[in-house]
Amino acid sequence: MKRIAFTLAPLLVAAAFAQSAPVAADVPPALLGSTPTLAPMLKTVLPGVVNISISGHMQVENPLMQDPFFRHFFGVPDQDDEPQQQEFAAAGSGVIVDAGKGYILTNHHVVEQAEKIQVTLNDGRTFDGKLVGSDPPSDLAVVQIKADKLTALNFFDSDRLQVGDFVVAVGNPFGIGQTVTSGIVSALGRSGLGSLTGRGYENFIQTDAAINPGNSGGALLTLRGELVGINSQIVSRTGTSAGIGFAIPANQAQFVLKQIVEHGSVERGRIGVGGQDLTPELAKAFGLPVARGVLVTQVVSGSPAAKAGIKREDILVEANGRELRDFQTLRNLVGVMKVGDSVDLKVLRDGKPLNVRVTIGKDTEQASSGGKLHPGLAGAQFAPADESNAADEAERGGIAVRRVAPRSPAARNGLRTGDVIIAVNRKRVATMEQFEKLAGDGEKALLLLVRRGNNAFFVTID
C-alpha cells in the first residue's frame, strides 16, 4: 500500500493539471510526460538553498533571577545573579537571493544568538557568513558571504498565490542535509499564531509540505522553481511536522531584504491608528450588514491618520483596493509601505461611505541594537505607550517595551514584554526622542522607573 500511495501521488498531480488547459500551459514540461517529475526544476534551484550553522554562548540562569521583585525580596546580591555561559550550536537554512553580492535570506530566529555563522553550499563549499541585518518583527535576516559561482533564486509575486497551488519546500531539517518536500498551499494570510515574531507582521502562507526544525529560513518554491516564501515555523504538538507549516510571503521578504541592504534595518510606515476586528456583535451595534473591517478605537494626535481626518469609531473596510478582514491585515499592508507613500482607505462613518487618502508616516517603534540606546537595553523593542493602558491619569504615557528577546541584555536586566518605562534617571519620558536622549549614553548607568501591571519599581542598567 505504501508503494501504491507513493506512485499515485504524482499521477494525480498530472491529472489535476491536465483537466485545465490554461493551467497546463503553465506547467513545467517534466510534469506532463509519462513519468511526472520535479527533478529537472530542482537541479536548477537546489544550489540556491544553503545550510546555515551557528554557534555561540548562551546564558544559563534561573528564570526567577530575572525578576527584580524576587531579587529584592530575597536580597540576592549582584554577584549571585551572574548568568553562566554555555556553548551551543544550531542549524538552519537560507536562500541565496543575490549571487553577485552573496546575499542570503534566512530567519531572524536562526541567527539571533549567533556569534559565528557558517554557510554550506549545495556543492559542499563552506564560507563564513556576515550578518548584514536582522528584523525581529518579520522574523527575517540577511547574511552575506564572499563566494563566486553562486546561484540565486528568482522571486515570485506572492500576491498571485492561491489556495490549492502546488509548492515545494527545500531546507535542512534536523541538520541532516538538504531535503525536498512537496504539498499545496493550504491557506493564505494566516496570523495570530503566537509566533516567534512577537508583536510581528504575520501574513503567513500555510502549507502541508513537510517543514521541520532546521527548515527555518529555507525556500518555499513554485513548481517552476520561483521563490514564493521563506519557511518560518510550524504548528505541532510533537515539535515535528504535522502538515501545518508556515512561510513568510516573498513580497514581504523582498521589502525587508531591500530595507536591510540599503539601511541596515527596516524602516516601516505607520498611519497612527489603533483598532480592533469588526465582530458580528460590533457590526450589529453599528448597524452594518457585514462583519468585515477594522473599527478605529484610537487616532494618535498629530499622526497621518489624524491629519487625513480619520476619526474614532470609523470603520475601515478597504485599503488600496484590498479588503480589510481584520486589524492585522491593515498592519501588514501599511508595514511594507514606504514613508511618503499614500494609502487609499474606504471608510464607513455613521453608515455612510467615505474615501480618505493617508500619507504614510514613519513608525516610531524601533529595536534597540546597542547603537542609539544603552547596550544594557539591547534585544528590546520600544514604542510610545498607549495612554489608555494606565488606570491612574498621573501614570499615563511612557515608553512601552514591545518585545524582549530571550537571553538578551534587556532580558537579563529584568525587562519584560508589556513593561512601560515611566522615567529614565528620574526624568519622565513620553516620546521616543526623549527616551533616546536620556537612554543613549552607554557609559553611564541608567535608573529606570518601570510600570508592570498595577505595580511600579526601579531597574538599574549598568
Side-chain angles (χ1 to χ4, degrees), residues 137 199 201 331 363-367 381-384 402 432:
R199 184 176 175 267
Y201 291 83
R331 187 166 183 266
D363 193 350
T364 53
E365 181 174 326
Q366 70 146 38
Q381 290 179 308
F382 305 95
R402 296 298 192 195
M432 286 300 299

Side-chain angles (χ1 to χ4, degrees), residues 18 93 107 128 156 176 260 353 407 412 430:
S93 306
N107 287 141
D128 290 333
F156 178 82
I176 63 174
I260 288 178
R407 300 183 296 276
R412 294 196 298 273

Side-chain angles (χ1 to χ4, degrees), residues 111-385:
V111 297
E112 181 178 12
Q113 301 293 328
E115 295 175 11
K116 184 177 181 180
I117 301 173
Q118 283 199 317
V119 176
T120 302
L121 305 183
N122 178 258
D123 61 14
R125 291 183 293 163
T126 298
F127 300 90
D128 290 333
K130 171 189 173 184
L131 182 62
V132 179
S134 195
D135 182 50
S138 66
D139 192 28
L140 289 167
V142 178
V143 172
Q144 185 177 29
I145 59 174
K146 293 182 179 180
D148 57 6
K149 298 181 181 179
L150 296 178
T151 298
L153 301 189
N154 295 320
F155 285 98
F156 178 82
D157 181 2
S158 54
D159 287 343
R160 293 169 50 200
L161 202 62
Q162 300 180 68
V163 174
D165 284 350
F166 289 96
V167 287
V168 176
V170 184
N172 179 27
F174 302 106
I176 63 174
Q178 197 170 73
T179 301
V180 178
T181 58
S182 65
I184 65 168
V185 174
S186 306
L188 295 168
R190 289 298 197 203
S191 62
L193 303 176
S195 70
L196 298 167
T197 63
R199 184 176 175 267
Y201 291 83
E202 297 185 350
N203 186 29
F204 290 113
I205 301 165
Q206 182 181 330
T207 179
D208 64 352
I211 297 174
N212 284 294
N215 271 112
S216 293
L220 189 69
L221 305 168
T222 68
L223 294 187
R224 286 190 172 275
E226 299 156 308
L227 182 65
V228 74
I230 301 295
N231 300 325
S232 178
Q233 57 182 291
I234 62 175
V235 169
S236 172
R237 294 179 179 177
T238 63
T240 58
S241 176
I244 306 177
F246 300 94
I248 301 161
N251 290 1
Q252 182 176 338
Q254 279 185 287
F255 169 79
V256 172
L257 170 67
K258 185 176 180 180
Q259 291 276 310
I260 288 178
V261 169
E262 291 182 359
H263 308 294
S265 60
V266 178
E267 182 182 90
R268 286 191 170 83
R270 68 155 191 150
I271 59 174
V273 298
Q276 65 186 94
D277 302 347
L278 189 65
T279 63
E281 294 78 14
L282 287 171
K284 183 178 180 180
F286 281 86
L288 300 174
V290 180
R292 282 292 181 101
V294 175
L295 172 61
V296 177
T297 59
Q298 180 188 22
V299 181
V300 178
S301 177
S303 67
K307 293 176 182 178
I310 298 294
K311 297 181 179 180
R312 182 178 292 177
E313 297 186 7
D314 280 350
I315 310 293
L316 311 182
V317 294
E318 282 188 17
N320 287 347
R322 179 178 175 183
E323 182 185 31
L324 296 177
R325 301 187 307 272
D326 47 37
F327 187 75
Q328 184 69 40
T329 304
L330 174 65
R331 187 166 183 266
N332 288 335
L333 186 147
V334 173
V336 295
M337 296 183 71
K338 297 178 181 178
V339 175
D341 287 350
S342 295
V343 56
D344 292 319
L345 298 174
K346 284 191 176 181
V347 182
L348 292 178
R349 181 177 296 165
D350 298 325
K352 299 178 180 179
L354 296 172
N355 293 318
V356 179
R357 174 167 289 184
V358 182
T359 301
I360 304 296
K362 185 177 181 180
D363 193 350
T364 53
E365 181 174 326
Q366 70 146 38
S368 168
S369 62
K372 289 185 178 179
L373 299 179
H374 191 288
L377 298 175
Q381 290 179 308
F382 305 95

Side-chain angles (χ1 to χ4, degrees), residues 437-452:
K437 183 177 180 179
L438 292 171
D441 191 344
E443 300 298 323
K444 297 181 181 179
L446 301 179
L447 179 65
L448 307 181
L449 178 58
V450 177
R451 183 176 73 238
R452 181 177 296 164

